[in-house]
Amino acid sequence: MDIDKKIKLNNGVLMPQFGLGVYQAKQGDETVNSVLWALQAGYRHIDTAKIYGNESDVGLAVEQSGISRKEIFITTKLWNSDHGFDSTLRAFEGSLKRLRLDYLDLYLIHWPQENVRKDTWKAFEKLYAEKKVKAIGVSNYTIKHLQELISYCDVVPAVNQVEFNPFLYQKELLDFCESKGIRLEAYSPIARGEKLNDERLVMLAAKYDKTPAQIMLRWALQHDIIIIPKSSHKERIEENSAIFDFEISDDDMESMDTFNENFRTCWDPSNVK
Ligand code: NDP
């Protein structure tokens, strides 16, 4: 396994399992530099969203990097206020323009907004049929949201991006997604740094001569999860990618599987109808 490892999505598209998230990376130099440092470190997958306000900076960095567009996998997301058929098509064009792209790799519904999400998915299917986007998916969907979507969709989502890490090990959701051919992608894979002092993690980090963040990221990789850790610091961007030269043992993986405490750093979609 290395930083180039790709996951084959349910439509055959290859998606790098490891990428950079840019939520809360500030507009301008902070985002541009983060993306450039990541690309220099070998990342080939960037995750942004309209609501992050930094799509233009991602686009600029990709252009400045000199790396061929085809080699970089770019995801963005439809924001809640843009749901609905026509407004989704408009929002997509806006994102594409800000990203300076003529096609997108992955477009996600950011949140399962009530009442309108079916029309939105139909617009996603249109964008996909027109080959403006290589793959379409969702984010923050629970099992019941996915079941509803599967009941009417023509295209099954390729990806469900949710909060996921050892302290929020959503095993049931992971198993459900696997059974439907939907790849699970973990946001907040290092729990926004809030669990880095957990004693068990610190001990594992010492054992493998890695950092607690690297142990959390490697755990997800070994569960075949797609991960997009965020950092705006060059040394952390590099640290987070140095996870392909060691392996967590089966015993330690099993032990980490028991860390779950339903710990959330972000929003909880469980009660969205
Ligand atoms: P992460 O788990 O990736 O943690 C990011 C935080 O941890 C930042 O504060 C960062 O600080 C810090 N950090 C990063 N690396 C290290 C390290 N090696 N050691 C110590 N601290 C570190 O959380 P995110 O919530 O940002 O999730 C990742 C990505 O997932 C987002 O950027 C976004 O792309 C996506 N996301 C999607 C959501 C959705 O609803 N679909 C919701 C939330 C996130 P610093 O930058 O200062 O280094």
Side-chain angles (χ1 to χ4, degrees), residues 26-82:
K26 292 196 189 75
Q27 286 176 1
D29 285 352
E30 185 167 309
T31 299
V32 173
N33 287 334
S34 303
V35 174
L36 282 172
W37 288 327
L39 293 172
Q40 280 158 14
Y43 293 56
R44 289 293 179 271
H45 165 189
I46 310 294
D47 181 276
T48 184
K50 179 186 174 191
I51 194 68
Y52 303 168
N54 55 20
E55 288 175 314
S56 321
D57 304 303
V58 170
L60 185 63
V62 165
E63 205 171 87
Q64 281 183 2
S65 74
I67 299 169
S68 155
R69 159 72 185 101
K70 290 195 300 283
E71 284 181 39
I72 306 175
F73 190 100
I74 300 169
T75 301
T76 193
K77 311 182 194 87
L78 175 99
W79 185 236
N80 300 352
S81 51
D82 291 322

Short mmCIF file of all heavy atoms in Angstrom, two decimals, residues 26-82:
data_model
loop_
_atom_site.label_atom_id
_atom_site.label_comp_id
_atom_site.label_asym_id
_atom_site.label_seq_id
_atom_site.Cartn_x
_atom_site.Cartn_y
_atom_site.Cartn_z
N LYS A 26 -8.14 28.75 5.40
CA LYS A 26 -8.61 30.10 5.03
C LYS A 26 -8.45 30.37 3.54
O LYS A 26 -7.53 29.84 2.91
CB LYS A 26 -7.84 31.14 5.83
CG LYS A 26 -8.15 31.12 7.31
CD LYS A 26 -7.66 32.42 7.97
CE LYS A 26 -7.76 32.32 9.48
NZ LYS A 26 -6.72 31.47 10.07
N GLN A 27 -9.34 31.24 3.05
CA GLN A 27 -9.24 31.65 1.65
C GLN A 27 -7.88 32.27 1.39
O GLN A 27 -7.29 32.85 2.28
CB GLN A 27 -10.30 32.71 1.34
CG GLN A 27 -11.69 32.14 1.25
CD GLN A 27 -12.75 33.23 1.05
OE1 GLN A 27 -12.44 34.40 0.95
NE2 GLN A 27 -13.98 32.81 1.01
N GLY A 28 -7.41 32.16 0.17
CA GLY A 28 -6.15 32.81 -0.20
C GLY A 28 -4.96 31.89 0.05
O GLY A 28 -5.06 30.67 -0.09
N ASP A 29 -3.85 32.52 0.50
CA ASP A 29 -2.58 31.78 0.60
C ASP A 29 -2.67 30.51 1.43
O ASP A 29 -2.03 29.52 1.12
CB ASP A 29 -1.50 32.68 1.22
CG ASP A 29 -1.01 33.70 0.21
OD1 ASP A 29 -1.41 33.59 -0.97
OD2 ASP A 29 -0.26 34.61 0.61
N GLU A 30 -3.46 30.56 2.51
CA GLU A 30 -3.47 29.38 3.39
C GLU A 30 -3.94 28.14 2.63
O GLU A 30 -3.33 27.07 2.71
CB GLU A 30 -4.36 29.63 4.62
CG GLU A 30 -4.28 28.48 5.61
CD GLU A 30 -4.89 28.80 6.96
OE1 GLU A 30 -4.55 29.84 7.57
OE2 GLU A 30 -5.74 28.01 7.42
N THR A 31 -5.02 28.28 1.87
CA THR A 31 -5.50 27.12 1.10
C THR A 31 -4.56 26.80 -0.05
O THR A 31 -4.20 25.63 -0.27
CB THR A 31 -6.93 27.36 0.58
OG1 THR A 31 -7.79 27.56 1.70
CG2 THR A 31 -7.43 26.17 -0.22
N VAL A 32 -4.13 27.84 -0.77
CA VAL A 32 -3.24 27.59 -1.92
C VAL A 32 -2.00 26.84 -1.45
O VAL A 32 -1.60 25.82 -2.02
CB VAL A 32 -2.86 28.93 -2.61
CG1 VAL A 32 -1.79 28.69 -3.69
CG2 VAL A 32 -4.09 29.58 -3.24
N ASN A 33 -1.39 27.33 -0.36
CA ASN A 33 -0.16 26.67 0.12
C ASN A 33 -0.42 25.25 0.59
O ASN A 33 0.37 24.34 0.32
CB ASN A 33 0.48 27.49 1.25
CG ASN A 33 1.12 28.74 0.72
OD1 ASN A 33 1.53 28.78 -0.45
ND2 ASN A 33 1.21 29.78 1.54
N SER A 34 -1.53 25.05 1.32
CA SER A 34 -1.83 23.70 1.81
C SER A 34 -1.91 22.72 0.65
O SER A 34 -1.35 21.62 0.70
CB SER A 34 -3.16 23.65 2.56
OG SER A 34 -3.17 24.56 3.62
N VAL A 35 -2.63 23.13 -0.39
CA VAL A 35 -2.81 22.23 -1.53
C VAL A 35 -1.48 22.01 -2.25
O VAL A 35 -1.13 20.87 -2.61
CB VAL A 35 -3.91 22.76 -2.50
CG1 VAL A 35 -4.00 21.91 -3.76
CG2 VAL A 35 -5.26 22.81 -1.78
N LEU A 36 -0.70 23.08 -2.41
CA LEU A 36 0.60 22.92 -3.08
C LEU A 36 1.54 22.01 -2.28
O LEU A 36 2.19 21.12 -2.84
CB LEU A 36 1.25 24.29 -3.30
CG LEU A 36 0.68 25.10 -4.47
CD1 LEU A 36 1.26 26.52 -4.48
CD2 LEU A 36 0.98 24.41 -5.81
N TRP A 37 1.56 22.21 -0.95
CA TRP A 37 2.43 21.35 -0.12
C TRP A 37 1.99 19.89 -0.21
O TRP A 37 2.80 18.99 -0.26
CB TRP A 37 2.39 21.81 1.35
CG TRP A 37 3.09 23.10 1.61
CD1 TRP A 37 4.21 23.57 0.97
CD2 TRP A 37 2.73 24.10 2.58
NE1 TRP A 37 4.56 24.80 1.48
CE2 TRP A 37 3.67 25.14 2.47
CE3 TRP A 37 1.71 24.22 3.52
CZ2 TRP A 37 3.63 26.28 3.28
CZ3 TRP A 37 1.67 25.35 4.33
CH2 TRP A 37 2.61 26.38 4.20
N ALA A 38 0.66 19.71 -0.20
CA ALA A 38 0.14 18.34 -0.27
C ALA A 38 0.53 17.70 -1.60
O ALA A 38 1.01 16.56 -1.64
CB ALA A 38 -1.38 18.34 -0.10
N LEU A 39 0.35 18.43 -2.68
CA LEU A 39 0.69 17.87 -3.99
C LEU A 39 2.19 17.56 -4.07
O LEU A 39 2.60 16.52 -4.61
CB LEU A 39 0.25 18.81 -5.12
CG LEU A 39 -1.28 18.98 -5.27
CD1 LEU A 39 -1.61 20.08 -6.27
CD2 LEU A 39 -1.95 17.67 -5.71
N GLN A 40 3.00 18.45 -3.46
CA GLN A 40 4.45 18.19 -3.46
C GLN A 40 4.79 16.93 -2.65
O GLN A 40 5.73 16.21 -2.94
CB GLN A 40 5.20 19.38 -2.85
CG GLN A 40 5.38 20.53 -3.84
CD GLN A 40 5.61 21.87 -3.13
OE1 GLN A 40 5.89 21.92 -1.94
NE2 GLN A 40 5.47 22.95 -3.88
N ALA A 41 3.99 16.68 -1.61
CA ALA A 41 4.23 15.50 -0.75
C ALA A 41 3.67 14.22 -1.37
O ALA A 41 3.79 13.15 -0.78
CB ALA A 41 3.63 15.74 0.63
N GLY A 42 3.01 14.34 -2.51
CA GLY A 42 2.52 13.14 -3.20
C GLY A 42 1.02 12.94 -3.13
O GLY A 42 0.49 11.98 -3.71
N TYR A 43 0.30 13.81 -2.41
CA TYR A 43 -1.16 13.70 -2.40
C TYR A 43 -1.66 13.94 -3.83
O TYR A 43 -1.15 14.80 -4.54
CB TYR A 43 -1.80 14.79 -1.52
CG TYR A 43 -1.60 14.78 -0.02
CD1 TYR A 43 -0.34 14.78 0.56
CD2 TYR A 43 -2.70 14.84 0.83
CE1 TYR A 43 -0.20 14.83 1.96
CE2 TYR A 43 -2.57 14.90 2.21
CZ TYR A 43 -1.31 14.89 2.78
OH TYR A 43 -1.17 14.96 4.14
N ARG A 44 -2.71 13.20 -4.21
CA ARG A 44 -3.31 13.40 -5.53
C ARG A 44 -4.84 13.47 -5.43
O ARG A 44 -5.55 13.11 -6.38
CB ARG A 44 -2.90 12.27 -6.50
CG ARG A 44 -1.44 12.33 -6.91
CD ARG A 44 -1.12 13.56 -7.77
NE ARG A 44 0.28 13.64 -8.17
CZ ARG A 44 1.23 14.25 -7.44
NH1 ARG A 44 0.93 14.86 -6.30
NH2 ARG A 44 2.48 14.29 -7.89
N HIS A 45 -5.32 13.91 -4.27
CA HIS A 45 -6.76 13.93 -4.03
C HIS A 45 -7.05 15.08 -3.05
O HIS A 45 -6.45 15.15 -1.98
CB HIS A 45 -7.13 12.54 -3.44
CG HIS A 45 -8.47 12.44 -2.79
ND1 HIS A 45 -8.84 11.33 -2.07
CD2 HIS A 45 -9.53 13.28 -2.74
CE1 HIS A 45 -10.06 11.48 -1.60
NE2 HIS A 45 -10.50 12.66 -1.99
N ILE A 46 -7.94 15.98 -3.48
CA ILE A 46 -8.28 17.15 -2.66
C ILE A 46 -9.79 17.19 -2.45
O ILE A 46 -10.56 17.03 -3.41
CB ILE A 46 -7.86 18.47 -3.37
CG1 ILE A 46 -6.39 18.41 -3.87
CG2 ILE A 46 -8.10 19.68 -2.46
CD1 ILE A 46 -5.32 18.32 -2.82
N ASP A 47 -10.19 17.44 -1.20
CA ASP A 47 -11.61 17.48 -0.84
C ASP A 47 -12.00 18.88 -0.40
O ASP A 47 -11.52 19.37 0.63
CB ASP A 47 -11.88 16.49 0.30
CG ASP A 47 -13.35 16.46 0.69
OD1 ASP A 47 -13.78 17.31 1.50
OD2 ASP A 47 -14.09 15.60 0.17
N THR A 48 -12.87 19.53 -1.19
CA THR A 48 -13.35 20.85 -0.80
C THR A 48 -14.87 20.84 -0.82
O THR A 48 -15.51 19.79 -0.94
CB THR A 48 -12.74 21.96 -1.70
OG1 THR A 48 -13.17 23.25 -1.23
CG2 THR A 48 -13.13 21.80 -3.15
N ALA A 49 -15.49 22.02 -0.68
CA ALA A 49 -16.95 22.16 -0.73
C ALA A 49 -17.24 23.62 -0.99
O ALA A 49 -16.46 24.50 -0.62
CB ALA A 49 -17.57 21.73 0.60
N LYS A 50 -18.40 23.87 -1.60
CA LYS A 50 -18.78 25.26 -1.86
C LYS A 50 -18.76 26.06 -0.56
O LYS A 50 -18.24 27.18 -0.51
CB LYS A 50 -20.17 25.32 -2.48
CG LYS A 50 -20.62 26.74 -2.76
CD LYS A 50 -22.04 26.82 -3.23
CE LYS A 50 -22.47 28.28 -3.35
NZ LYS A 50 -23.91 28.42 -3.57
N ILE A 51 -19.30 25.48 0.51
CA ILE A 51 -19.44 26.22 1.77
C ILE A 51 -18.09 26.55 2.41
O ILE A 51 -18.00 27.46 3.23
CB ILE A 51 -20.37 25.45 2.76
CG1 ILE A 51 -20.83 26.33 3.93
CG2 ILE A 51 -19.70 24.19 3.28
CD1 ILE A 51 -21.75 27.45 3.54
N TYR A 52 -17.03 25.86 2.02
CA TYR A 52 -15.71 26.18 2.62
C TYR A 52 -15.16 27.51 2.08
O TYR A 52 -14.22 28.06 2.64
CB TYR A 52 -14.67 25.08 2.34
CG TYR A 52 -15.04 23.68 2.80
CD1 TYR A 52 -14.31 22.57 2.38
CD2 TYR A 52 -16.11 23.45 3.66
CE1 TYR A 52 -14.65 21.29 2.79
CE2 TYR A 52 -16.46 22.18 4.06
CZ TYR A 52 -15.73 21.09 3.62
OH TYR A 52 -16.07 19.82 4.02
N GLY A 53 -15.72 27.96 0.95
CA GLY A 53 -15.31 29.27 0.42
C GLY A 53 -13.91 29.27 -0.19
O GLY A 53 -13.34 30.34 -0.41
N ASN A 54 -13.35 28.09 -0.43
CA ASN A 54 -11.98 28.07 -0.95
C ASN A 54 -11.82 27.25 -2.24
O ASN A 54 -10.70 26.87 -2.59
CB ASN A 54 -11.00 27.59 0.14
CG ASN A 54 -11.38 26.23 0.72
OD1 ASN A 54 -12.13 25.48 0.11
ND2 ASN A 54 -10.88 25.93 1.92
N GLU A 55 -12.94 27.04 -2.94
CA GLU A 55 -12.82 26.29 -4.21
C GLU A 55 -11.87 27.01 -5.18
O GLU A 55 -11.07 26.35 -5.86
CB GLU A 55 -14.20 26.15 -4.87
CG GLU A 55 -15.13 25.18 -4.16
CD GLU A 55 -16.53 25.16 -4.77
OE1 GLU A 55 -17.08 26.25 -5.03
OE2 GLU A 55 -17.09 24.08 -5.00
N SER A 56 -11.94 28.35 -5.23
CA SER A 56 -11.07 29.08 -6.19
C SER A 56 -9.61 28.87 -5.85
O SER A 56 -8.76 28.78 -6.75
CB SER A 56 -11.32 30.58 -6.14
OG SER A 56 -12.65 30.84 -6.00
N ASP A 57 -9.30 28.81 -4.55
CA ASP A 57 -7.90 28.64 -4.14
C ASP A 57 -7.42 27.23 -4.47
O ASP A 57 -6.27 27.04 -4.85
CB ASP A 57 -7.76 28.92 -2.64
CG ASP A 57 -8.29 30.30 -2.31
OD1 ASP A 57 -7.79 31.27 -2.90
OD2 ASP A 57 -9.24 30.40 -1.51
N VAL A 58 -8.31 26.26 -4.32
CA VAL A 58 -7.95 24.89 -4.71
C VAL A 58 -7.65 24.86 -6.21
O VAL A 58 -6.63 24.31 -6.65
CB VAL A 58 -9.08 23.89 -4.35
CG1 VAL A 58 -8.83 22.51 -4.97
CG2 VAL A 58 -9.24 23.77 -2.84
N GLY A 59 -8.52 25.49 -6.98
CA GLY A 59 -8.34 25.51 -8.44
C GLY A 59 -7.03 26.18 -8.83
O GLY A 59 -6.28 25.68 -9.69
N LEU A 60 -6.73 27.28 -8.14
CA LEU A 60 -5.49 28.02 -8.43
C LEU A 60 -4.27 27.14 -8.13
O LEU A 60 -3.33 27.06 -8.92
CB LEU A 60 -5.46 29.30 -7.59
CG LEU A 60 -4.31 30.25 -7.83
CD1 LEU A 60 -4.36 30.78 -9.26
CD2 LEU A 60 -4.38 31.43 -6.84
N ALA A 61 -4.30 26.48 -6.98
CA ALA A 61 -3.15 25.65 -6.58
C ALA A 61 -2.96 24.49 -7.55
O ALA A 61 -1.82 24.16 -7.92
CB ALA A 61 -3.35 25.13 -5.16
N VAL A 62 -4.06 23.87 -7.96
CA VAL A 62 -3.95 22.75 -8.89
C VAL A 62 -3.30 23.24 -10.19
O VAL A 62 -2.39 22.61 -10.74
CB VAL A 62 -5.34 22.12 -9.15
CG1 VAL A 62 -5.33 21.20 -10.37
CG2 VAL A 62 -5.80 21.35 -7.90
N GLU A 63 -3.74 24.41 -10.63
CA GLU A 63 -3.18 24.99 -11.86
C GLU A 63 -1.69 25.29 -11.67
O GLU A 63 -0.87 24.97 -12.51
CB GLU A 63 -3.96 26.26 -12.19
CG GLU A 63 -3.94 26.65 -13.64
CD GLU A 63 -4.92 27.80 -13.86
OE1 GLU A 63 -4.51 28.97 -13.69
OE2 GLU A 63 -6.08 27.52 -14.19
N GLN A 64 -1.37 25.92 -10.54
CA GLN A 64 0.02 26.33 -10.28
C GLN A 64 0.96 25.14 -10.10
O GLN A 64 2.16 25.25 -10.31
CB GLN A 64 0.10 27.18 -9.02
CG GLN A 64 -0.32 28.62 -9.23
CD GLN A 64 -0.17 29.46 -7.96
OE1 GLN A 64 0.29 28.96 -6.93
NE2 GLN A 64 -0.57 30.71 -8.02
N SER A 65 0.41 24.00 -9.68
CA SER A 65 1.26 22.85 -9.35
C SER A 65 1.98 22.29 -10.57
O SER A 65 3.02 21.65 -10.44
CB SER A 65 0.42 21.73 -8.73
OG SER A 65 -0.37 21.10 -9.73
N GLY A 66 1.40 22.54 -11.74
CA GLY A 66 2.01 22.00 -12.96
C GLY A 66 1.73 20.51 -13.14
O GLY A 66 2.17 19.90 -14.12
N ILE A 67 1.01 19.92 -12.21
CA ILE A 67 0.68 18.50 -12.33
C ILE A 67 -0.54 18.38 -13.25
O ILE A 67 -1.46 19.19 -13.18
CB ILE A 67 0.37 17.89 -10.94
CG1 ILE A 67 1.61 18.00 -10.05
CG2 ILE A 67 -0.09 16.44 -11.05
CD1 ILE A 67 1.36 17.67 -8.59
N SER A 68 -0.52 17.34 -14.07
CA SER A 68 -1.62 17.16 -15.03
C SER A 68 -2.95 17.02 -14.30
O SER A 68 -3.06 16.31 -13.30
CB SER A 68 -1.30 15.91 -15.87
OG SER A 68 -2.47 15.37 -16.37
N ARG A 69 -3.96 17.70 -14.81
CA ARG A 69 -5.30 17.66 -14.23
C ARG A 69 -5.78 16.22 -14.00
O ARG A 69 -6.39 15.90 -12.99
CB ARG A 69 -6.27 18.41 -15.17
CG ARG A 69 -7.75 18.07 -15.01
CD ARG A 69 -8.29 18.64 -13.72
NE ARG A 69 -9.66 18.26 -13.45
CZ ARG A 69 -10.04 17.29 -12.62
NH1 ARG A 69 -9.14 16.58 -11.98
NH2 ARG A 69 -11.31 17.04 -12.40
N LYS A 70 -5.48 15.37 -14.98
CA LYS A 70 -5.97 13.98 -14.93
C LYS A 70 -5.43 13.22 -13.73
O LYS A 70 -6.02 12.25 -13.28
CB LYS A 70 -5.52 13.21 -16.19
CG LYS A 70 -6.19 13.63 -17.48
CD LYS A 70 -5.97 12.59 -18.56
CE LYS A 70 -4.52 12.34 -18.90
NZ LYS A 70 -3.85 13.34 -19.72
N GLU A 71 -4.28 13.67 -13.21
CA GLU A 71 -3.65 12.94 -12.11
C GLU A 71 -4.20 13.33 -10.74
O GLU A 71 -3.84 12.74 -9.72
CB GLU A 71 -2.14 13.19 -12.11
CG GLU A 71 -1.42 12.43 -13.19
CD GLU A 71 0.06 12.70 -13.14
OE1 GLU A 71 0.63 12.80 -12.03
OE2 GLU A 71 0.64 12.85 -14.22
N ILE A 72 -5.04 14.37 -10.71
CA ILE A 72 -5.54 14.85 -9.41
C ILE A 72 -7.04 14.61 -9.33
O ILE A 72 -7.79 14.95 -10.25
CB ILE A 72 -5.21 16.35 -9.22
CG1 ILE A 72 -3.70 16.58 -9.42
CG2 ILE A 72 -5.64 16.82 -7.84
CD1 ILE A 72 -3.28 18.03 -9.38
N PHE A 73 -7.44 14.01 -8.22
CA PHE A 73 -8.86 13.68 -8.00
C PHE A 73 -9.46 14.79 -7.13
O PHE A 73 -9.01 15.04 -6.02
CB PHE A 73 -8.94 12.34 -7.28
CG PHE A 73 -10.33 11.76 -7.20
CD1 PHE A 73 -10.75 10.77 -8.09
CD2 PHE A 73 -11.22 12.20 -6.23
CE1 PHE A 73 -12.03 10.23 -8.01
CE2 PHE A 73 -12.50 11.67 -6.14
CZ PHE A 73 -12.91 10.68 -7.02
N ILE A 74 -10.48 15.47 -7.66
CA ILE A 74 -11.04 16.62 -6.93
C ILE A 74 -12.52 16.40 -6.61
O ILE A 74 -13.32 16.06 -7.48
CB ILE A 74 -10.85 17.91 -7.76
CG1 ILE A 74 -9.35 18.13 -8.00
CG2 ILE A 74 -11.45 19.11 -7.03
CD1 ILE A 74 -9.03 19.19 -9.00
N THR A 75 -12.82 16.58 -5.33
CA THR A 75 -14.19 16.45 -4.84
C THR A 75 -14.69 17.82 -4.38
O THR A 75 -13.96 18.55 -3.70
CB THR A 75 -14.24 15.52 -3.60
OG1 THR A 75 -13.72 14.25 -3.95
CG2 THR A 75 -15.66 15.37 -3.07
N THR A 76 -15.94 18.14 -4.73
CA THR A 76 -16.60 19.26 -4.06
C THR A 76 -18.03 18.85 -3.73
O THR A 76 -18.46 17.74 -4.07
CB THR A 76 -16.50 20.59 -4.84
OG1 THR A 76 -16.88 21.65 -3.94
CG2 THR A 76 -17.37 20.63 -6.06
N LYS A 77 -18.74 19.74 -2.99
CA LYS A 77 -20.04 19.33 -2.45
C LYS A 77 -21.09 20.42 -2.68
O LYS A 77 -20.78 21.61 -2.64
CB LYS A 77 -19.93 19.06 -0.95
CG LYS A 77 -18.75 18.16 -0.60
CD LYS A 77 -18.64 17.83 0.86
CE LYS A 77 -17.27 17.23 1.16
NZ LYS A 77 -16.21 18.21 1.46
N LEU A 78 -22.31 19.93 -2.86
CA LEU A 78 -23.46 20.82 -3.03
C LEU A 78 -23.96 21.29 -1.67
O LEU A 78 -24.25 20.46 -0.80
CB LEU A 78 -24.59 20.05 -3.72
CG LEU A 78 -25.88 20.86 -3.83
CD1 LEU A 78 -26.02 21.44 -5.22
CD2 LEU A 78 -27.11 20.05 -3.47
N TRP A 79 -24.07 22.60 -1.49
CA TRP A 79 -24.48 23.11 -0.18
C TRP A 79 -26.02 23.05 -0.01
O TRP A 79 -26.77 22.99 -0.98
CB TRP A 79 -23.93 24.53 0.04
CG TRP A 79 -24.24 25.00 1.43
CD1 TRP A 79 -24.91 26.14 1.78
CD2 TRP A 79 -23.93 24.31 2.66
NE1 TRP A 79 -25.03 26.20 3.16
CE2 TRP A 79 -24.45 25.10 3.72
CE3 TRP A 79 -23.28 23.11 2.97
CZ2 TRP A 79 -24.33 24.71 5.06
CZ3 TRP A 79 -23.17 22.73 4.31
CH2 TRP A 79 -23.69 23.53 5.33
N ASN A 80 -26.43 23.07 1.25
CA ASN A 80 -27.85 22.87 1.61
C ASN A 80 -28.81 23.84 0.91
O ASN A 80 -29.91 23.46 0.53
CB ASN A 80 -28.02 23.03 3.13
CG ASN A 80 -27.18 22.02 3.89
OD1 ASN A 80 -26.59 21.13 3.30
ND2 ASN A 80 -27.10 22.16 5.20
N SER A 81 -28.39 25.08 0.74
CA SER A 81 -29.29 26.07 0.15
C SER A 81 -29.39 25.91 -1.38
O SER A 81 -30.17 26.62 -2.01
CB SER A 81 -28.83 27.48 0.51
OG SER A 81 -27.46 27.61 0.19
N ASP A 82 -28.62 25.02 -1.95
CA ASP A 82 -28.64 24.83 -3.40
C ASP A 82 -29.41 23.59 -3.84
O ASP A 82 -29.41 23.23 -5.02
CB ASP A 82 -27.20 24.74 -3.95
CG ASP A 82 -26.48 26.07 -3.84
OD1 ASP A 82 -27.12 27.12 -4.07
OD2 ASP A 82 -25.29 26.08 -3.51
#
